Amino acid sequence: MSRALVLNATYEPLGVVAERRALILVLNVRATMVEESGTVLHFSGGEIALPSVIKLNRFVRVPYRHAVPLSRRALFARDGGRCVYCAAPATSIDHVIPRSRGGGHNWENVVSACHRCNHTKADRPLKDLGWRLHSSPRAPVGAAWRVLGTGRTDARWVPYLEPFGVAAATA
């Protein structure tokens, strides 16, 4: 089943729901369809296009913003799908300070890496290899990053996610 991006009344990304749930929100006039998915639902009275992006008609205040969960997909999106050491396509994750040497599994210590760099680095610190990071890894911030944890990002969502810093998620 396909999914639809849910935007707040201010066009801030809130999350992802099933297309049918999005259609129910539109039919109950709780949301407006912004983009169609291209899938048409046929029923006895006619047909209707399922939404790909919907915007809520009323502003929803999100009282507590959870931190973005650390996942492989979100990590690759943060690093642009490239190895932070050599800029080759990333295939694995690497701990800057190896876990065997006390490094944690958190946003500030995990980066995307290609197989060659990850294998070469092994459990050694960057200083021993003479390597350095061009920028310090940080946890991503912003509402749109929560969309990454829901799976594959639809290309029609890009214009609504780019203003919130998630252009890399679709690459």
Side-chain angles (χ1 to χ4, degrees):
M1 178 179 287
S2 295
R3 298 163 306 123
L5 175 66
V6 179
L7 305 173
N8 210 340
T10 58
Y11 286 89
E12 174 187 21
L14 289 178
V16 178
V17 296
E19 277 183 337
R20 290 180 186 255
R21 174 67 181 140
L23 180 61
I24 290 169
L25 288 170
V26 170
L27 293 175
N28 288 331
V29 194
R30 295 187 185 263
T32 305
M33 187 182 320
V34 178
E35 294 274 342
E36 293 182 3
S37 68
T39 304
V40 178
L41 185 64
H42 300 278
F43 58 97
S44 61
E47 58 185 38
I48 189 166
L50 292 176
S52 174
V53 179
I54 62 170
K55 179 184 77 75
L56 297 178
N57 292 333
R58 302 184 91 181
F59 179 78
V60 175
R61 185 173 177 272
V62 181
Y64 178 72
R65 303 239 184 235
H66 296 284
V68 178
L70 177 59
S71 68
R72 184 180 183 95
R73 181 185 318 276
L75 183 67
F76 284 1
R78 180 197 69 182
D79 295 341
R82 295 290 192 188
C83 175
V84 296
Y85 304 121
C86 71
T91 57
S92 62
I93 63 171
D94 181 55
H95 293 84
V96 178
I97 300 169
R99 293 185 81 176
S100 62
R101 297 184 184 228
H105 185 70
N106 53 39
W107 281 107
E108 292 77 21
N109 191 44
V110 180
V111 295
S112 57
C114 67
H115 178 73
R116 186 177 59 82
C117 289
N118 198 359
H119 184 71
T120 302
K121 182 179 172 289
D123 69 340
R124 295 179 286 199
L126 295 177
K127 260 187 191 175
D128 290 358
L129 296 169
W131 293 2
R132 67 178 191 87
L133 293 173
H134 298 289
S135 62
S136 299
R138 298 185 323 220
V141 293
W145 284 95
R146 283 178 282 160
V147 173
L148 290 175
T150 63
R152 197 170 305 275
T153 306
D154 190 331
R156 289 177 288 250
W157 300 354
V158 174
Y160 306 99
L161 297 176
E162 278 181 338
F164 297 94
V166 188
T170 58

